[in-house]
Every structure is written in structure tokens, then in C-alpha cells.
Amino acid sequence: MSRIFAYARVSTVEQHPENQLGEIRAAGFQLQPRRIVSETVSGSVAASERPGFARLIDRLEEGDILVVTKLDRLGRDAMDVRKTIDQLDHLGIKVHCLALGGVDLTSPAGRMTMGVINAVAEFERNLLIERTQAGLIRAKAEGKMLGRPPRLTEDQKHAVIRKLQD
């Protein structure tokens, strides 16, 4: 019989994983406390570099099911999420994502869903980059100063230069 594990990740100490665990329970998954792994770490940290996730991988066995509320709990980067899913699939572990209708991400339908979502996310990211670049070009053409505002006034800059020359 498959064992159910839950992975809940939050990014800051002000956040709490209880909401994620509540969602998993509400979806009908029976969670045993010893099979819940939660940690506070940024999603930008690769799953393989997170201490809690590494302990989880050591505990999982073929046939187990890992449940997460959203893909971004596994990682913010599509490549890292894909690598993590592939690693779990290789170990014979199914990965269910509630935000995607509870689909098993290691199944053909789950892989297709993840591929579509990753393609849309990449498309959105590319559009954002394109809009940002267009905005920067327009701002430069209008003579606007780009970047952070200077911390020193012109008088302060001249005073520093005079002191350096003394």
C-alpha cells in the first residue's frame, strides 16, 4: 500500500505551512505527522539543496506518493521542478499537485500538463522581458535617468571629490 507524504514549503519565518497542510487534508489525503515535511526556505533554492527536502527524499520508497499544493512549492524554476519530478519518478514515487487538479505529475497526463504550464510561464517571462526592454528604450529616448536615484546630491559629490584631492 502506498504511503502518503506531504511537502509544505514557505519562504519566510512570517509564513506558516499549516494552510498548505489543511489544503492537502481537505483534498482527502490522510496525513500522518511523521510523513509531513515542512521547511522555511526560498523557492529559488534548488529542491536538492534544501535540507528538509533532502531528508524527505531519503525517506521515500518506491510506490510512495508525495503531495504538494502547488508546483512552486517544489521550486520556482521550471528546470528545477522538472529535474525534481524526474528524480522522484526514477525512484518510483508519484507526485500529486493539488493546484493541477491533483494530477500525478509523473504520469503522461501530468507531464503534459506540466509541459504546457512551463511553456506558458516561459512565454509570459519572455513577454515581460520584451516589455521591460521596450520601456527602457522609450525612457532613454525621453532622456529619463535610469537606475537607482543617486544617494548623494551634486554638492555632496563635489565635497567628496575636494576631500579626496586634498
Side-chain angles (χ1 to χ4, degrees), residues 5 16 24 26 30 37 45-46 48 54-55 60 77 84 92 99 104 107 113 120 124 126 139 143-144 146 154:
F5 285 80
H16 304 283
I24 293 170
Q30 300 296 319
V37 175
V45 175
S48 60
R55 285 192 309 273
L60 290 168
D77 177 282
T84 301
D104 171 17
S107 72
T113 302
V120 170
E124 284 293 325
N126 289 339
K144 293 185 179 175
L146 300 178
E154 286 301 315

Side-chain angles (χ1 to χ4, degrees), residues 3-163:
R3 300 179 307 165
I4 307 293
F5 285 80
Y7 178 69
R9 181 192 60 75
V10 293
S11 299
T12 67
V13 293
E14 292 84 25
Q15 299 171 324
H16 304 283
E18 286 79 21
N19 290 343
Q20 293 173 50
L21 299 174
E23 284 181 51
I24 293 170
R25 287 185 182 101
F29 291 97
Q30 300 296 319
L31 298 178
Q32 295 181 13
R34 68 181 180 276
R35 293 193 184 134
I36 296 172
V37 175
S38 60
E39 66 183 331
T40 303
V41 62
S42 170
S44 61
V45 175
S48 60
E49 296 174 16
R50 299 182 203 153
F53 197 81
R55 285 192 309 273
L56 174 64
I57 293 290
D58 288 342
R59 295 177 56 204
L60 290 168
E61 298 175 2
E62 185 174 354
D64 286 345
I65 297 171
L66 175 61
V67 184
V68 295
T69 56
K70 299 178 188 169
L71 272 181
D72 68 355
R73 299 302 87 196
L74 293 174
R76 197 169 288 152
D77 177 282
M79 296 298 288
D80 181 45
V81 171
R82 179 63 177 241
K83 180 180 167 188
T84 301
I85 299 295
D86 287 346
Q87 176 188 12
L88 293 166
D89 186 28
H90 180 74
L91 296 171
I93 296 150
K94 296 184 182 317
V95 182
H96 290 264
C97 178
L98 299 184
L100 300 178
V103 67
D104 171 17
L105 299 176
T106 63
S107 72
R111 287 189 176 281
M112 183 202 67
T113 302
M114 204 168 52
V116 169
I117 287 171
N118 286 342
V120 170
E122 183 176 347
F123 175 69
E124 284 293 325
R125 187 175 61 83
N126 289 339
L127 284 179
L128 176 66
I129 291 168
E130 214 173 76
R131 288 190 301 264
T132 301
Q133 292 301 319
L136 289 171
I137 290 168
R138 182 184 43 74
K140 280 183 185 178
E142 293 172 359
K144 293 185 179 175
M145 286 289 284
L146 300 178
R148 291 183 180 166
R151 293 181 57 91
L152 300 176
T153 66
E154 286 301 315
D155 289 341
Q156 290 171 325
K157 288 179 191 176
H158 292 301
V160 169
I161 290 171
R162 279 193 305 271
K163 285 190 180 192

